[in-house]
Structures are given as C-alpha cells and as structure tokens.
Amino acid sequence: MLLNIKNLHVSINGKEIIKGLNLGVNKGEVHAIMGPNGTGKSTLAAAITGREGYEITQGEIWYKNKNIIGMPAEERANEGIFLSFQYPVEIPGVSMTNFMRTALNAQREYHELPAIPAGEFLKLMEEKKNLVEIHSKLNNRSVNEGFSGGEKKKNEIFQMAMLQPSLAILDETDSGLDIDALKVVAKGVTGLRSEENAFIVITHYQRLLDYIVPDFVHVLFDGKIVKSGGKNLALELEEKGYEWIKEQYHAGS
Amino acid sequence: MENNPGTNILDEVTQGDYKFGFYTDIENDFAPRGLTEETIHFISAKKEEPEWMLQFRLKAFRHWLTLKEPEWAHLHHRPINYQDIIYYAAPKKKELASLDEVDPELLETFNKLGISLDEQKKLTGVAVDAVIDSVSVKTTFQDTLGKHGVIFCSFSEAVKNHPELIKKYMGSVVQYTDNYFAALNSAVFSDGSFCFIPNDVRCPLELSTYFRINAANTGQFERTLIVAESNSYVSYMEGCTAPMRDENQLHAAIVEIVAMENAEVKYSTVQNWYPGDKNGIGGIYNFVTKRGLCKGNNSKISWTQVETGSAITWKYPSCVLMGDNSVGEFYSVAVTNHYQQADTGTKMIHLGKNTRSTIISKGISAGKSNNSYRGLVKILPNASNSRNFSQCDSLLLGDKCGAHTFPYIQAGNETSIVEHEATTSKISEDQLFYCNQRGINTEKAIGLIVNGYAKEVLNKLPMEFAVEAQKLLAITLEGSVG
C-alpha cells in the first residue's frame, strides 16, 4: 500500500480537527475526498504533507512503508508527495524557471542524482507546459505573481507534471475554475495517471469528478471518514447534498 | 510562540558564518599608533608624496580637529578612540615590476578570495586593482587599458604620474570640509584607485578594485577617484573583505566620480567587510562618503550596492545632477543580521533642468539588527521639469529586528515631480511551506525568496558580480531562519 493512514488525530492550537481517520491508498488509484466546509479536508492534506503547526496527537501515516510523522515537509516532497495548493502562494522576483529548477534539483540531490543540465530542463518545461496548455511566457514570470485564478491552478498541475510525484493531493483544485480551465486541469491529471502513482482529490463538488473519474469516494465529516463508496457515491451526494450524511452520522453516534 | 513556526525558522537561518575571516601573516610597515600631525608627515613621507599633497592632508587634519563625530544617524556604538588606531600598514615589499615580485602570501590571499591577479589566468574581462591595508599591491591589465588611453592605477601612482589630474579633481566632489569622516580620510588616506577615461572612449574592460583589511588595530582609509570625460563610458566594481577579529576596525573611505557631457559611469559595490560575530562582537565600522557629479549635460551616474557586511554601515552614495538632462540612479540591497546596523541611502541633488533620478532601495533585516534607509531628494528652483522616483522596500525576517525609513524631500519648483513609494513585508510562513512542499529546504527557500525580493537591484550588477552577490545574500542570511 502506498499510503496507509491509521487512526489519525490532528489538532491546531489545541483544537482537534481530525478525529480518528483511516485511509488506505494503493498505487494506480484515485481517491476523492468530499465533504462540507470545515470538516478537516485541508487539514488532512496539511498533515500528510507535514506542515508545521498541525499537531498529530495520535495515529500513524505510513507512506512507502515508512511512518512519516515527524519527517520534514521537504523530505516528504522529495519522497514523492505533492500538494496542489488550494491557494497557491506568490513569490515575487523568483522566476518559474528558477523555482522549478531549484525544486527539481533538490529532488535529484535527495536521490543522489546530478543536477539536470540546463538544455534538458528547458525542454522538459516546454513539454509539461503543453500538457496543461500554458502558452504564455511562463518561464520568466515570477511564481504565481499576477496569475489569474485559473493560471494559478494550471501552474500547480504543471509543477506536478514536472516533479512526477508518487502521491499527488489536489486540494480543491477545481474551486474558482471556469469549465474550460477545469477541463484542462483534468486533462493534465488524467495524462499523468499511471499504475505507479496515486491521487487524492479533495473537492466540494462532483463537477471535477466528471473529468477525473475516481476509484473511491470518501465523505469526510467531523474529522472522520463517515462513508466510502465507488464513483456513484459522488453522484448521490451531488443529488442529495450532505444533509443525509449528517443525519446518518448523528443518528449513528 | 509554539504555533508560529516562522519565528523558529528565522532563528535558525541567521546563524551563518563569515567565509572570509582568515588572516594572512605578512611582514608589515606600520605607522605609530595614534593621530597627530607627525602621523600625517609619516604617511606622506612613506608614500614619497609631493609637498602639495602633504599640505592638502594637513589642511584636512586641522579642519577635522574642529569637527565632532555626527550623531544624527540611527546607529549606536561605543565611542571610537581615534588615538588607538594605526593609520598606516603596508606589506613591506614595494615597487613591483611584475607579478613574480608580489609576495606569494599576498597572491594566495587574493586567490582565496577568488581574485586572480595573474593576467594569464584571468578569464573574464576585468582589470583589478588589489589594495591590502594601506597600499595597492597590483593593478592588472594596465597595458591593455593604456592602449585606449584609459588610466587605471593606484591613487599613489596617480599622485606621482598624473599630478595635474589629481590636483584638478581630488576634492572637487567631496571636499575635505564635507563631513567628519571625509575630513579624516582626506588627512590620512593611504591608497585607493584612480581611473580616467578620455573623451569618446568606451572602457574595454570592467574595472575593479578589491579592498582587503588584513593587519590588526589598523584603519583603512582609501580614496577612489573616477573621471569620465565627454562621451565616455566605464563600469567600475568594488569588493571588500576583512579578517574576523574581536575588536572593531574603522574604515572611512571617499569615492568621487566626475562625469562630463554624455559620459556614463556605473559604480557597483559588493560590501562584505567582517560584520562581527553572532553576539555583536567585532566587525568593521564602515563610514563612507561616496558622491558623483554629473557635471556635463546628458551625463549619467549610477550606483549599485549590495551591502552585507560591516558591524556598522554609514553611507549615502549620492549624485549631484548639475548638467541639464543628467541622470542619477541608486540601486541598493542592504542586509543586516545578528547585531549589524546599517544607516544607508542616497542623496539626489537636482541642479540642472530636466534631470532625472531613480532610487530603488531594498532593506533586509534579520536577527537583532537594525536597517535604516535615509535618503534626500532635493530639487532646486532652477531644476525645472525634473523627476524623481523612489521606492524603499523593507523585508523583515523575524520579530526582533528593525527597519526604518527616513525620506527627506525638498521640491523647489512646480514643474518637477517627486514620487516616493515604501513597503514593509515579511517572509510569510505560507511562502516557506510552499517551497518546502516542492522539496526545497527552508534555508534554500529563504535564499530564493530574498534573492527574488532583491532581484530588481541584483539585475543592475555586472554579470561577474551578480552571481557572487546572490550567493552572498544567501550566506549572510544562513542561520537567520529555521
């Protein structure tokens, strides 16, 4: 199993947000995590990627047969965990070329590989830009600075394509996207899907799942996965909303 | 503060070490400690100077005695004991005919600093004047430059070989009466560089002077004079380092630039004097007067500085825009870490019509340091249709450092436009995590973010310097974040 989360509890400033979550993800799978606002979806992403300030009070996160709790964020990234940010951050004055080369070479250094030659790197950038249909002069633009909402999200997928992660987490990549941008993002993701990697798609709506078809759908509520199913569960949620889940959850507890 | 990872990060990254702190054991000639008229006679005699030079020094010294150290800067330090300083220290060997005669220890010193004085080994098109303590030890490529009529030599040589030029221009931009440290320098300056670019010559090489303080208890007082005649161009670079010592050493320099009609001078500095240790012990006190005079119409002087060293920095590279349509520029990145203090900026004095000036200042403060921008934009009544644009940005790393801005604006007519923009920002935890999530560790991330922040200024540096400056920024902030 690529990722195996066991009984995870996460607190922020002493307040428990994730309350005993279990999730197993195999290579080649796409898991969708859905649920109403404030149920811990983004907190889960932060816990897996190792963001500071998110305190793991209980449980284990196994990734590639290692319990990664306590592993620094950059090491997790270099081990192949990628997060497509809900709100990508701007870094003024740092060109995308410089940023991506630094990131890619950090990854290569971690795996004891030599730095990528400049020509090869630029070729790779061109190839991956085409994948997400970025036609503008991305290379010299500062990281996310002055990007439209759609461009920022495409840029996340572009970076994912560059870094070739084993486990990619897409945190509400669909939010704020028009239908055309959504299709491009979905196409990018679909193009990267393989038997060797896995995706966790965090989303609010079924919309994205029309294009990125999940193998499993989980409903996160009150810090726990309260319901899991196949792709039809997403359709059911779309139709009925989250109220029935809440009712079931409260009735059961 | 446990839930503010940003703060911890900052604590860790600003603990880097100074990489140029070694000392070379060279036999030296010293002046007796302290400063009297005898000291000045001693220096002047050592340098075998003409009488007019000695008289210039003595006049400056007598004036200096009447002055008080300035106290208006946002700087705090123990009083400097001017009688406890050695004002002249020189490696013993002199009158070098070729590189073979340079003390191998000295060559090694400059090699360690990455400066090759061997012209055969020099790959880039840069001519270097190497100054150690009080004297210039070697100027490269003098022959090549001579063919174009360019004079590039040590100040001492210039006094001997080109007295008419020195008499005409020395003190014409920064008079010895200008300020306390200018008077001190005029009295005791020991060496420095002189360059002269004749009419219609575009200097074929980048010129550069490398200053190194080596001996203990000494002060360094150099003087640089650049004269660019009509329609000429020169790009000049200056670098400096010093050994690590527990005492504070004084550096008080003067740089004068004169640009005639249509001439352009680009002056770039990477200042990396020893900044003192993590607890604020030791380091260079850097009190420098730099000024350029755009004398002719359409002339241009631009200052670019990357200031990472010194315990205290007090410098305001300025432009006097005398010629009509002349242009003054000031691009600065000043980094302070630990207990460093910087009070730096510029003065743009608009005298001619249609004169333009641009000021881009990027301050970066970390540790417990204090970083001030102080700038004057003065537009005189006759300087009609003049323009200034100033942008002063401060970046804070951590919550124990300070950033201050002291802009002074005096607009003397109604046709001129002065703009001033200022921002203060912090490296956000979001930015750091974003980099971490892409596999970039925090130290590298800070280097990346800081270099991005300073890019506008770094882009103005000549290629040879830009790479060095970028590395230096990252090194200076090593251990400031964690």
Side-chain angles (χ1 to χ4, degrees), chain A residues 13 49 51-52 73-74 77-78 81-83 85 89-94 99 102-103 106 109 144 156 159, chain B residues 2-3 5 8-9 428-431 433-442 444 448-449 451-453 455 482:
Chain A
N13 293 327
T49 51
R51 182 155 195 167
E52 286 189 53
E74 65 269 23
N78 287 327
I81 299 178
F82 180 92
L83 174 63
F85 283 69
V89 181
E90 298 185 0
I91 310 178
V94 178
F99 183 71
T102 307
E109 194 184 325
N144 293 321
E156 294 293 291
Q159 293 178 47
Chain B
E2 274 165 357
N3 289 313
N8 305 335
I9 287 166
S428 73
E429 192 210 325
D430 286 346
Q431 284 174 325
F433 179 65
Y434 192 76
C435 293
N436 291 159
Q437 214 301 307
R438 299 300 183 248
I440 302 166
N441 69 35
T442 300
K444 270 196 197 143
L448 201 65
I449 295 166
N451 273 305
Y453 165 80
K455 190 179 183 179

Side-chain angles (χ1 to χ4, degrees), chain B residues 169-318:
Chain B
Y169 291 110
M170 183 182 66
S172 71
V173 186
V174 179
Q175 294 175 346
Y176 69 85
T177 51
D178 192 82
N179 67 69
Y180 187 82
F181 296 104
L184 178 65
N185 175 287
S186 300
V188 302
F189 76 90
S190 39
D191 218 329
S193 302
F194 171 68
C195 41
F196 178 84
I197 321 296
N199 284 324
D200 305 316
V201 170
R202 198 181 160 87
C203 187
L205 296 171
E206 301 262 357
L207 302 186
S208 113
T209 304
Y210 202 90
F211 296 103
R212 172 82 181 163
I213 294 178
N214 189 53
N217 304 312
T218 58
Q220 177 147 320
F221 307 91
E222 83 273 358
R223 246 191 125 95
T224 301
L225 174 60
I226 299 171
V227 178
E229 286 203 311
S230 300
N231 303 309
S232 69
Y233 167 85
V234 64
S235 165
Y236 182 93
M237 307 183 279
E238 167 197 69
C240 32
T241 56
M244 289 156 77
R245 288 213 175 83
D246 289 346
E247 70 193 73
N248 293 111
Q249 282 179 279
L250 179 63
H251 171 253
I254 289 181
V255 175
E256 295 179 280
I257 301 174
V258 181
M260 308 305 276
E261 201 166 324
N262 296 317
E264 180 178 348
V265 178
K266 259 185 85 159
Y267 192 104
S268 313
T269 305
V270 173
Q271 187 266 106
N272 188 26
W273 297 117
Y274 178 52
D277 71 6
K278 287 162 197 157
N279 304 311
I281 308 295
I284 303 294
Y285 287 174
N286 190 33
F287 293 90
V288 173
T289 307
K290 291 183 169 180
R291 194 172 305 150
L293 174 63
C294 284
K295 200 167 182 178
N297 293 344
N298 310 311
S299 56
K300 178 175 173 182
I301 292 176
S302 93
W303 299 100
T304 305
Q305 60 172 19
V306 175
E307 302 280 317
T308 60
S310 297
I312 287 180
T313 297
W314 179 100
K315 71 182 261 199
Y316 315 91
S318 304

